[in-house]
């Protein structure tokens, strides 16, 4: 299994926003996480959820602490992932959520 976190891609980013993580149009992407991750490391994954389906994952290449949420002023960590990521051939049903959740990759198909 491959450890990481799940992040829900907001509907307002649309299918094109999700596709950009996996189609080669981006080299990296920045996700945000409240506070400082206690269990997350470079080399882990950000698993992406869109429309209540797990659609793919991107490998974490850098964790940048010390950032601040511009709306609340609370600390957050920037999670830089390498793109393009791995897209599932067949999405897996997974409830979308706000924020970040740790995930052990149990549903991810073996190579």
């Amino acid at each position: 299994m491959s450890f990481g976190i799940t992040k829900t891609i907001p509907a307002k980013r649309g299918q094109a926003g999700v596709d950009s993580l996996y189609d080669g149009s981006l080299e990296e992407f920045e996700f945000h996480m409240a506070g400082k991750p206690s269990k997350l490391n470079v080399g882990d994954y950000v698993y992406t959820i869109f429309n209540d389906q797990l659609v793919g994952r991107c490998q974490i290449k850098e964790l940048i602490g010390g950032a601040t949420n511009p709306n609340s002023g609370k600390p957050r960590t920037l999670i830089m992932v390498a793109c393009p990521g791995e897209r599932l051939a067949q999405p897996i049903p997974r409830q979308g959520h706000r924020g970040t959740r740790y995930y052990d990759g149990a549903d991810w198909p073996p190579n």
Side-chain angles (χ1 to χ4, degrees):
M1 287 186 266
S2 299
F3 187 76
I5 57 172
T6 57
K7 293 291 278 183
T8 300
I9 306 298
K12 67 182 178 183
R13 284 194 44 94
Q15 188 65 51
V18 176
D19 292 344
S20 69
L21 296 170
Y22 304 104
D23 66 9
S25 62
L26 297 175
E27 290 185 20
E28 68 179 8
F29 187 80
E30 176 185 305
F31 287 97
H32 304 155
M33 181 176 187
K36 182 179 179 193
S38 59
K39 304 183 226 174
L40 200 59
N41 297 297
V42 170
D44 290 339
Y45 291 92
V46 174
Y47 292 84
T48 55
I49 299 170
F50 184 69
N51 287 339
D52 290 329
Q53 294 190 28
L54 181 66
V55 295
R57 68 181 182 182
C58 297
Q59 193 164 33
I60 298 170
K61 64 184 214 174
E62 186 178 8
L63 298 168
I64 304 170
T68 303
N69 183 316
N71 297 324
S72 67
K74 294 182 179 180
R76 69 177 173 184
T77 300
L78 306 180
I79 303 169
M80 304 304 295
V81 299
C83 294
E86 300 173 66
R87 187 174 207 142
L88 287 169
Q90 197 68 354
I92 300 169
R94 166 107 18 206
Q95 182 73 38
H97 57 80
R98 297 184 83 172
T100 304
R101 295 190 184 163
Y102 287 106
Y103 174 61
D104 64 4
D107 296 338
W108 193 262
N111 290 344

